[in-house]
Amino acid sequence: MLEIEIDGKQLQVPDGSTVMEAATQVGAYVPHFCYHKKLSIAANCRMCLVQVEKAPKPLPACATPVTNGMKVWTHSEQAVKAQKGVMEFLLINHPLDCPICDQGGECQLQDLSVGYGGVQSRYEEEKRVVSNKDLGPLVSTDMTRCINCTRCVRFTTEIAGLMELGQAFRGEHAEIMPFVEKTIETELSGNIIDLCPVGALTSKPFRFGARAWEMSRRKSVSPHDSLGSNLVVQIKNDQVKRVLPLENEELNECWLSDKDRFSYEALASEERLTRPMIKQGGQWTEADWATALEYVANGLKSVTAEHGAASIGALASPHSTLEELYLTQAVVRGLGSGNVDFRLRQSDFSADGKREGAPWLGMPVSKIGSLDRLFVIGSFFRKDHPLIAQRIRQAAKRGLKVSALNPAFDDWQLPVVNALNVRPSAMASSLLAVLKGLVEISGEAYDGEYAAALAGASSEPAARAIAESIASGRRSAVWLGNLAVQHQDAATLHALAQEIARVAKATFGVVGEAANSVGGYIANAVPVAGKGLNAAQMLASPLKAYLLLNLEPELDTAAGSSALRTLGKAEMVAVFSAFKSAAALEYADVILPVAPFTETAGTYVNCEGRAQSFYPVVKPRGEARPGWKVLKVIGDMLGLESCSVDSIEDVRKRVLGADGFVEPAKLGNAVHGVELKIAPASVRLERVADVPIYFADPIARRSAALQQTTDAAEPKARVSKATLAQIGIDSGARVKLVSSEGSVVVTLIEDEGVAGGCVRLAAAHVLTAPLGALNGEVSVERV
Amino acid sequence: MTSQGIILSGLDGDRTWRLADYVKRGGYDALRKIIAEKIPADQIISEVKKSALRGRGGAGFPTGLKWSFMPRAFPGAKYIACNSDEGEPGTFKDRDILRYNPHSVIEGMVIAGYAMGCERGYNYIHGEIFETYERFEEALQEAREAGLLGNNILGSDFSFDLFAHHGYGAYICGEETALLESIEGKKGQPRFKPPFPASFGLYGKPTTINNTETFASIPYIIREGGDAFLALGKPNNGGTKLFSVSGHVNKPGNYEIPLGTPFSTLLEMAGGVRGGRKLKAVIPGGSSAPVLPASVMMDCTMDYDSISKGGSMLGSGAVIVMDETTCMVKALERLSYFYFEESCGQCTPCREGTGWLYRVVHRIENGLGRPDDLDLLNSVTANIMGRTICALGDAASMPVQSFVKHFGDEFAFHIEHKKCLVPKDVQHEGSKIYVA
């Protein structure tokens, strides 16, 4: 510890602290622009100059290390003179166009100029003008306002991992710009808007939407990925104007992914449902709630009476709230059916009944940074989990070694030390090879349950390298990504990954696809093995009545377009959704407008098992109503005791108990007695499907700005160069992809990240929905 | 090129840049001596300390002391860099050293590598002298072939390799940390210090950076001893030094003279002020050094201490001579424009301030000056100085402050009368000689 005196106050700081950190600790505000606690130190704005005893010149607080016995004055005459001098320089070429600047009212330069700026400028020459840059559909630029603090440059390089911005030219001509003819494509780009201390980078979708002081700030939780980022939703006139991060060091830190930040646009989409609708004689008519609810309740009653409760099924999106998920299963189970599921993109359910608890990350998110080895199995990590990937990226700088087994790799913008790239059907045997390697390294006899399978395992050098990497760690983790969970042999991958983690003494985790991928299990929105149908079964052969909560089955399930055919055969399909869709108008009989996350109270349980409750930030649009209330009323109409709740807190209490926490005992990744399915080596083409970041859920799909990004481009079929040669088709050709479910016509391109013998084609897109299953055999024909 | 010293002497022969010629002049004897006698590294450093050799790049930091900062015991790579990015207006000495005596630099760097336990060095040569860069590459090749560079130098177990790296013409890359960034392939921008290069330099490894002339002085010090070098100059100012004399003199060029030689002698060697005119002012150490009026300058001797006492800096030894036909406002305008163009743009005071300074001087020169402009210039320079990441901010400010201080009348005249104190025809008369 070092002793330091700041503005007369004594304190002790850890070795290696900077004066800025010490000043923050003692509550002395040192003005600054380029300094940011999460970014590297640039010391270029010079605003934080302070007086240091014995130093002949003022020193920048951000970059000056504390020495023992140092005396610092942050507001002495020398310090303030230096700070004012810098402020004058910052303002001479700044346009001072605050009245027409979107940053006005929340601008660091504006705020600090009140304290440190002059009344009138001494600079009367022409000011610098800098041409604006095209940074894509999310970030708007007014580069003349830029003060060259390089926070955005450092963010993209250090946090997003992508060197996309830089400072070109020199001196007064210096400009921040992307590479020539390029925009920025990181999925974390919105953070540079927050970081920009002036109005150079502002939000394009929000542009001129409101003044900072006109909006109320409400807390919320992101409904998208499994991290559960904390949000500040800003509203004006009962409308969501924009979304900003709510700092939570244990989850999203001070960042947000672009999906979390910009998807709010969908809340005002023209496709929002504002009134209940009923289809009569093939015609849709708007109805009042009483009629619509009556219709659903009666429908359920009559189906139960005529066909038995087992002919009713409910599918709920994992982006639904915990309360919605709970009440959905309560309604279904109250009627006597066991058909309820939220694991829509999953295709292998053979681990059901063998699980110890809800699959979860196996560790708190905040501990990711202390891992030293990580083995990721089946994941499009960077796009599936942008901010968890960011944590791994930072940990990798401190020595975390990442290995991965994947049928298709994207650039994760972090070093993947061992990348094993095999076709989906070979993933299980690769895991077996890793396990074999681990057993060999341990030098002990194998005492687990897969001795027989292990005897037949191959020895691949790449698998051995992964085994060596995991075994060499002191804090290792093995994680299953979304692709592994959606895999056709998910149970086998799970069991083997679990065994690998056990032998390697690593933490075992499932990263989870959606905001409530853990919550769905906690709310019991899963069938009990043998007593109900899972998602795949419900969509494989038609039931008589379906309740669909917050999903678009052709895009959100593994069944793809075939789901529509199944649903078309049902007697009653009740859709609970915030959005209208053309497909739903076809298969549905009644559509109930339920409120999205900003208009309802609810709870999400994130990947680490943290239950985060939130309140509505605005009133429901039109006659939309919170899903939990709608379900409760239907339950009441059906006379179901399990739905008789008074408030959302009441629902929550039923799921989580009085404390509002997920009991640790309910979380558990262990599966027992899974029969391994090791596929024989195949030469047939297999599909690999990613769920592109902005197609993943109904809200993201309707955000206009996100849909203009390169991540939302029309899906193309990707194959490796060798596979291209094998099938004899050139990159760029239009091809017809045929699966057992259907066929699609897409463009074929070369992608060396895809394993040999595979075709990567995104799921969750209208264009690719006819193909159905996310993996399985496909064939390619030239068209 | 006139030499009373060690680096440029004996260079009147043919192809002096060849290894054979250098060896004939006693070249590589120092290195051979070190290798043969297995002289301990500490002894070399103390010899350099004894010589009172001070950095020839401009700051004048004692070289031996700098070398002793290098953590010899540091495991892994350590580097030596030679700063041949001679961008300071008025300076052209390193160019001639590399052109005519490149092996002296190579030998100096190999010895430095030996003394500081480094196995790799870089010579950063500025972009505008490409043929010099090529010649240096040839010299490196000669040295490698002769076993004077590379693995197991002269059959010993000491290995050292040296690489030339040419810049692209940015003045800022002469700042040592910007130079390191540039070698690393990044944009040439100075780093914030601490950490200093001795602990975190090239590729994050301990690095010592010296000027070309500094390295070129090393072989003599080892060969003849530190005392002999010191005796060439005066106490605390050891050795001889190259001065690039330019401007209004009859014989501009490089002059290698003992430190402590009176300025008047140097001026005489350079053929005196052209056309027999009166000396008006001298910038004694490159464009960033404060200008001194003739009266002060004529009393100075050419060494670090005397020039410093006179109120300026010996700097890189670029002596810019201005006669009575010079308009000091115009001269400052040109200098200010240089710094305005060469600021790297990284930190605020320099990025914004250099442009401001230039514009104010420009408007004074063009008859648009305002009564309080001199106060403004002084205030802006005060706001830049000592507030920037590197010394460029100071370098841009010192000329402005000194011009205004010593020639304030001329500036005031410009502002008041919207024309120059030195009549235009007199200025033109001066330039005519310049053209001839």
Side-chain angles (χ1 to χ4, degrees), chain A residues 280-301:
Chain A
Q280 279 171 327
Q283 289 297 309
W284 283 100
T285 50
E286 291 191 343
D288 57 31
W289 269 104
T291 315
L293 291 169
E294 198 85 3
Y295 184 99
V296 176
N298 289 339
L300 290 172
K301 271 186 215 162

Side-chain angles (χ1 to χ4, degrees), chain A residues 53 55 69 130 191 262 278 285 357 379 416 466 473 504 653 679 709 735 749 756:
Chain A
E53 190 184 45
V130 183
N191 294 299
F262 294 109
I278 298 174
T285 50
S379 179
V416 177
I466 292 177
K653 214 178 282 175
T709 60
V735 293
I749 58 163

Side-chain angles (χ1 to χ4, degrees), chain A residues 514-551:
Chain A
N516 247 340
S517 286
V518 175
Y521 281 96
I522 303 297
N524 218 9
V526 282
V528 176
K531 291 184 188 162
L533 302 176
N534 58 47
Q537 289 165 332
M538 278 187 259
L539 289 172
S541 50
L543 299 172
K544 294 298 174 194
Y546 287 95
L547 303 178
L548 303 180
L549 187 69
N550 295 322
L551 76 146

Side-chain angles (χ1 to χ4, degrees), chain A residues 102 132-143 145 184 192-193 196 198-208 262:
Chain A
D102 228 13
N132 288 338
K133 311 294 182 289
D134 178 9
L135 297 187
L138 305 177
V139 182
S140 175
T141 63
D142 278 283
M143 298 313 288
R145 297 179 189 139
I184 50 170
I192 63 175
I193 298 165
C196 185
V198 297
L201 306 176
T202 51
S203 164
K204 209 174 247 183
F206 169 70
R207 204 158 200 227
F208 306 134
F262 294 109

Side-chain angles (χ1 to χ4, degrees), chain B residues 106-337:
Chain B
I106 298 175
E107 187 180 4
M109 289 188 75
V110 177
I111 294 170
Y114 181 92
M116 287 179 273
C118 306
E119 296 199 338
R120 190 160 278 222
Y122 292 90
N123 186 9
Y124 190 99
I125 302 169
H126 81 129
E128 291 91 334
I129 50 170
F130 195 72
E131 75 291 350
T132 309
Y133 160 77
E134 288 179 319
R135 182 173 287 179
F136 190 76
E137 286 277 22
E138 284 169 25
L140 286 177
Q141 196 50 37
E142 279 185 321
R144 276 192 203 107
E145 284 166 9
L148 297 161
L149 207 56
N151 289 335
N152 304 100
I153 290 174
L154 295 170
S156 68
D157 58 358
F158 167 60
S159 299
F160 181 84
D161 213 346
L162 180 55
F163 302 92
H165 183 104
H166 82 84
Y168 284 86
Y171 172 65
I172 193 62
C173 289
E175 199 280 342
E176 59 181 19
T177 54
L179 181 147
L180 298 180
E181 291 278 298
S182 181
I183 294 179
E184 290 180 12
K186 300 175 190 157
K187 188 182 180 193
Q189 285 188 333
R191 297 175 183 168
F192 178 77
K193 286 153 288 212
F196 291 95
S199 57
F200 189 94
L202 189 61
Y203 302 111
K205 304 293 180 191
T207 304
T208 295
I209 304 141
N210 282 124
N211 173 251
T212 320
E213 189 186 345
T214 313
F215 281 123
S217 307
I218 297 295
Y220 180 89
I221 294 171
I222 302 302
R223 209 168 57 224
E224 311 291 337
D227 292 329
F229 185 83
L230 176 59
L232 291 173
K234 66 184 222 185
N236 197 32
N237 294 272
T240 54
K241 165 100 189 75
L242 267 68
F243 290 98
S244 307
V245 183
S246 64
H248 300 159
V249 291
N250 283 316
K251 280 164 45 191
N254 279 319
Y255 294 87
E256 188 176 19
I257 53 171
L259 284 171
T261 307
F263 169 71
S264 52
T265 312
L266 179 63
L267 187 58
E268 241 169 71
M269 289 169 76
V273 180
R274 280 179 317 186
R277 288 199 176 82
K278 226 173 100 193
L279 180 69
K280 183 174 191 175
V282 175
I283 302 177
S287 63
S288 55
V291 68
L292 294 178
S295 55
V296 177
M297 200 60 208
M298 291 307 278
D299 291 339
C300 284
T301 58
M302 298 306 289
D303 59 75
Y304 296 97
D305 299 338
S306 169
I307 300 285
S308 170
K309 212 188 289 169
S312 186
M313 306 184 312
L314 192 67
S316 56
V319 181
I320 302 171
V321 178
M322 290 174 266
D323 72 14
E324 58 192 333
T325 67
T326 313
C327 168
M328 297 310 277
V329 181
K330 190 155 187 67
L332 180 63
E333 184 198 14
R334 186 63 196 80
L335 286 177
S336 297
Y337 184 73

Side-chain angles (χ1 to χ4, degrees), chain B residues 280 323-329 365 410 413-414 419-430:
Chain B
K280 183 174 191 175
D323 72 14
E324 58 192 333
T325 67
T326 313
C327 168
M328 297 310 277
V329 181
E365 167 63 17
E410 217 170 303
F413 188 90
H414 258 269
K419 61 177 185 181
C420 190
L421 184 63
V422 184
K424 277 276 187 256
D425 53 341
V426 174
Q427 286 185 40
H428 289 162
E429 192 58 30

Side-chain angles (χ1 to χ4, degrees), chain A residues 419-620:
Chain A
L420 187 48
N421 197 0
V422 302
R423 54 170 66 224
S425 63
M427 286 172 73
S429 51
S430 291
L431 285 182
L432 212 46
V434 173
L435 180 59
K436 186 179 175 188
L438 277 169
V439 171
E440 285 167 8
I441 292 163
S442 76
E444 287 168 28
Y446 178 69
D447 59 351
E449 53 184 310
Y450 303 115
L454 211 52
S458 64
S459 298
E460 297 172 48
R464 170 82 189 196
I466 292 177
E468 277 168 9
S469 175
I470 321 173
S472 65
R474 286 185 296 130
R475 289 174 305 278
S476 307
V478 177
W479 286 356
L480 290 175
N482 299 354
L483 186 142
V485 173
Q486 294 156 0
H487 193 277
Q488 58 206 358
D489 301 324
T492 301
L493 299 185
H494 189 117
L496 287 173
Q498 174 189 335
E499 191 65 359
I500 286 171
R502 185 186 70 84
V503 174
K505 299 185 178 61
T507 315
F508 177 45
V510 178
V511 193
E513 184 186 333
N516 247 340
S517 286
V518 175
Y521 281 96
I522 303 297
N524 218 9
V526 282
V528 176
K531 291 184 188 162
L533 302 176
N534 58 47
Q537 289 165 332
M538 278 187 259
L539 289 172
S541 50
L543 299 172
K544 294 298 174 194
Y546 287 95
L547 303 178
L548 303 180
L549 187 69
N550 295 322
L551 76 146
E552 294 172 289
E554 71 280 19
L555 304 174
D556 291 325
T557 70
S561 298
S562 72
L564 301 179
R565 295 195 286 275
T566 311
L567 292 171
K569 293 174 192 152
E571 278 179 20
M572 186 191 77
V573 178
V575 169
F576 299 69
S577 171
F579 303 105
K580 206 184 286 184
S581 84
L585 293 176
E586 287 292 317
Y587 62 70
D589 299 284
V590 53
I591 300 180
L592 304 174
V594 298
F597 74 106
T598 43
E599 299 166 19
T600 179
T603 304
Y604 289 121
V605 181
N606 78 350
C607 59
E608 58 175 12
R610 177 192 298 242
Q612 300 191 99
S613 298
F614 53 91
Y615 292 96
V617 299
V618 289
K619 286 207 272 300

